[in-house]
Amino acid sequence: MSMTRHTQLPRPNNADLTFIGRSIRHSLRDGEGLLMAILLPVFMMGLFVFVFGGAMNVAGRDGYVSYIVPGIIIMCAGFGASSTATLVAGDMKTGIIDRFRTMPIRGSAVLTGHVVASVLRNLVATAVVVLVGLLTGFRPSADVVGWLGALAIIATYILTITMLFAAIGLVAGSPEAANAYGFVLLFLPYLSSAFVPVETMPTWLQWVAENQPITPVIESIRALLGSGDVGWNVLIAILWCVGILVIAVIWSSLMFRRKSGRR
């Protein structure tokens, strides 16, 4: 009976839960990171509302608050997800993966832990953005269906970009390199309708802004929270997110197998 207990492999979901708990504990013990996750939305809302808001002609300052909240949510989600690349690269470099591979567990469960913990952290950051927005003039007119739809789009986007950052962390040779590679993704919201209408951009840049994946995500959240015309934006946003997510999952699986196999 005792031998059977010792040689029995743990079920995969147990390994996933163990690594999710590990990543959440690391997040809670990282006081500086936790503080920044809360303060960053406050700083960004303050910067765009009180510093830039007066110069923006988007239905006055209160109207601009409602306009930028979806963009701030996406920006904070990107910054929060970027830490996943650093953490994954750190695990690959420090040799902890070697120790995990000597244990009877599914090796990729460590990625599941990082991704799930990041999604939870970023959902908390999203709640902070909405709360600060409400305090500074954000007045959404969405009903329950609108809020649930916006939350679904936000959660799908967070999962997608987190998985993409996890793949970047596997590709990078060090946590510093992972942080640098991820900067490109963090720049994309500035080339979208996050902070200014696309129509105000140069003609050649409008095409880029209208056809990149972040613009339909932001427009979907903006329409769902403001009871505006959703149009095709939700469908386009979901197609972008699902397509990128599938690529990121396949990419990260291949890279994890290749990188951990070398050890």
Side-chain angles (χ1 to χ4, degrees), residues 8-84:
Q8 186 178 16
L9 295 178
R11 291 178 297 176
N13 60 337
N14 286 344
D16 291 335
L17 291 175
T18 298
F19 281 103
I20 290 171
R22 168 183 177 263
S23 295
I24 291 176
R25 285 194 296 276
H26 285 178
S27 298
L28 294 176
R29 290 169 183 168
D30 181 10
E32 293 177 348
L34 195 61
L35 185 63
M36 283 307 300
I38 297 173
L39 291 181
L40 181 63
V42 178
F43 288 154
M44 293 194 70
M45 285 298 298
L47 177 67
F48 281 95
V49 172
F50 298 110
V51 179
F52 299 147
M56 300 297 179
N57 186 22
V58 185
R61 200 192 76 179
D62 290 345
Y64 190 61
V65 173
S66 298
Y67 185 84
I68 63 168
V69 164
I72 301 292
I73 291 173
I74 295 303
M75 284 289 295
C76 291
F79 279 113
S82 66
S83 64
T84 305

Side-chain angles (χ1 to χ4, degrees), residues 199-250:
E199 296 76 21
T200 63
M201 301 178 183
T203 304
W204 62 270
L205 193 55
Q206 288 183 23
W207 187 90
V208 176
E210 290 172 348
N211 294 283
Q212 62 128 311
I214 290 180
T215 294
V217 173
I218 290 175
E219 291 298 329
S220 298
I221 299 170
R222 190 172 286 149
L224 288 166
L225 294 182
S227 298
D229 182 16
V230 175
W232 291 95
N233 284 315
V234 170
L235 178 60
I236 297 172
I238 291 174
L239 289 176
W240 267 114
C241 288
V242 172
I244 295 172
L245 181 60
V246 170
I247 293 172
V249 169
I250 295 173

Side-chain angles (χ1 to χ4, degrees), residues 98-112:
D98 292 336
R99 298 179 60 184
F100 291 151
R101 282 175 59 81
T102 64
M103 302 167 66
I105 59 173
R106 183 170 59 85
S108 60
V110 66
L111 291 182
T112 304

Side-chain angles (χ1 to χ4, degrees), residues 92 97-98 101 255-263:
M92 298 300 291
I97 297 297
D98 292 336
R101 282 175 59 81
M255 292 307 303
F256 184 84
R257 195 174 304 166
R258 181 181 301 175
K259 289 289 187 75
S260 61
R262 291 176 181 170
R263 297 166 184 274

